Amino acid sequence: EDKVVQSPLSLVVHEGDTVTLNCSYEVTNFRSLLWYKQEKKAPTFLFMLTSSGIEKKSGRLSSILDKKELFSILNITATQTGDSAIYLCAVDIRVQGAQKLVFGQGTRLTINP
Amino acid sequence: NAGVTQTPKFQVLKTGQSMTLQCAQDMNHEYMSWYRQDPGMGLRLIHYSVGAGITDQGEVPNGYNVSRSTTEDFPLRLLSAAPSQTSVYFCASSRTSGSHSYEQYFGPGTRLTVT
């Protein structure tokens, strides 16, 4: 059974702190790993990772993939209250050539001023 | 571009009623999918489609039907609503190209309550 597990499930920090969110996976036919941010409504895309060891970066957010140990981390430095959201990790698995995303449970991040 | 649109935003049904959740996209994406999101469980794939006339089941397809007669539209039908189908439903779309991965774009969601 394909499985994606995120930790922690919930995290509360103060503005300015640095946080690390974890995503581990056990899937057949891995193609890529994606991170999404979900505020009130639809998830919005952050990163797609396909190769081990190559960091993707966007402003204060960065992410890296380890395909040997089957995990990814999402780092957020100098956190702001606007970073409060649910962060979703998903793995793209291929079934008969079609993309299918398997999601983790999400990490609810709360940034207190 | 409107992106991915969903209607209605909210819906309350009685057990046994049927309804259709609408999803449309204007990005000419071949791939479309439906997810449900329940507390503590992330998003789970219900059905997906790789193009007009082609649909397939996801992880939790029971109680739902889909069809894809056009590239733009991908409606989700609940045949006989049950309280276990109370959830938030998201439609998503993306490009497709062989084994290459593409990000999925999500609609704003439909919050469904079945009493």
Side-chain angles (χ1 to χ4, degrees):
Chain A
E1 182 188 347
D2 298 305
K3 190 191 297 187
V4 177
V5 177
Q6 292 185 244
S7 63
L9 294 182
S10 180
L11 185 59
V12 181
V13 300
H14 290 292
E15 204 167 20
D17 288 351
T18 293
V19 298
T20 298
L21 309 184
N22 303 293
C23 175
S24 64
Y25 60 93
E26 287 182 43
V27 300
T28 53
N29 218 12
F30 174 95
R31 280 293 178 265
S32 64
L33 186 144
L34 300 92
W35 285 97
Y36 284 85
K37 177 182 182 182
Q38 185 177 24
E39 297 176 85
K40 298 238 184 282
K41 292 186 178 177
T44 54
F45 173 76
L46 294 174
F47 298 112
M48 180 187 294
L49 304 150
T50 55
S51 302
S52 275
I54 299 175
E55 184 183 55
K56 291 283 184 85
K57 197 169 169 63
S58 176
R60 296 176 293 102
L61 278 67
S62 64
S63 184
I64 198 160
L65 174 67
D66 185 328
K67 289 170 75 173
K68 183 179 174 189
E69 300 297 330
L70 307 183
F71 76 91
S72 173
I73 60 172
L74 175 68
N75 278 326
I76 309 175
T77 59
T79 52
Q80 302 171 357
T81 55
D83 295 326
S84 295
I86 296 173
Y87 289 84
L88 297 165
C89 170
V91 173
D92 175 4
I93 62 173
R94 288 287 143 148
V95 178
Q96 296 178 332
Q99 178 190 65
K100 293 175 86 167
L101 292 187
V102 179
F103 280 84
Q105 319 95 301
T107 293
R108 182 179 294 275
L109 177 63
T110 302
I111 311 295
N112 288 327
Chain B
N1 284 354
V4 180
T5 58
Q6 290 182 238
T7 55
K9 287 186 170 52
F10 302 94
Q11 183 70 49
V12 179
L13 290 178
K14 293 189 188 317
T15 297
Q17 288 184 317
S18 62
M19 79 159 295
T20 299
L21 307 186
Q22 301 292 344
C23 174
Q25 51 91 10
D26 61 1
M27 297 174 280
N28 203 31
H29 287 165
E30 290 294 321
Y31 184 92
M32 295 186 74
S33 53
W34 276 101
Y35 297 87
R36 58 178 289 173
Q37 186 174 32
D38 302 297
M41 299 191 73
L43 278 76
R44 291 182 293 168
L45 182 64
I46 304 172
H47 284 287
Y48 66 97
S49 169
V50 298
I54 307 169
T55 63
D56 207 344
Q57 295 181 350
E59 187 185 351
V60 288
N62 291 342
Y64 307 95
N65 270 359
V66 292
S67 59
R68 183 98 179 268
S69 55
T70 67
T71 298
E72 294 78 20
D73 300 298
F74 191 43
L76 178 73
R77 278 182 287 279
L78 280 70
L79 308 171
S80 176
S84 60
Q85 294 179 304
T86 293
S87 188
V88 180
Y89 291 84
F90 289 100
C91 179
S93 74
S94 71
R95 294 170 59 190
T96 56
S97 176
S99 62
H100 194 89
S101 286
Y102 292 97
E103 65 186 271
Q104 292 192 18
Y105 294 83
F106 286 83
T110 295
R111 184 174 293 274
L112 176 68
T113 302
V114 183
T115 60

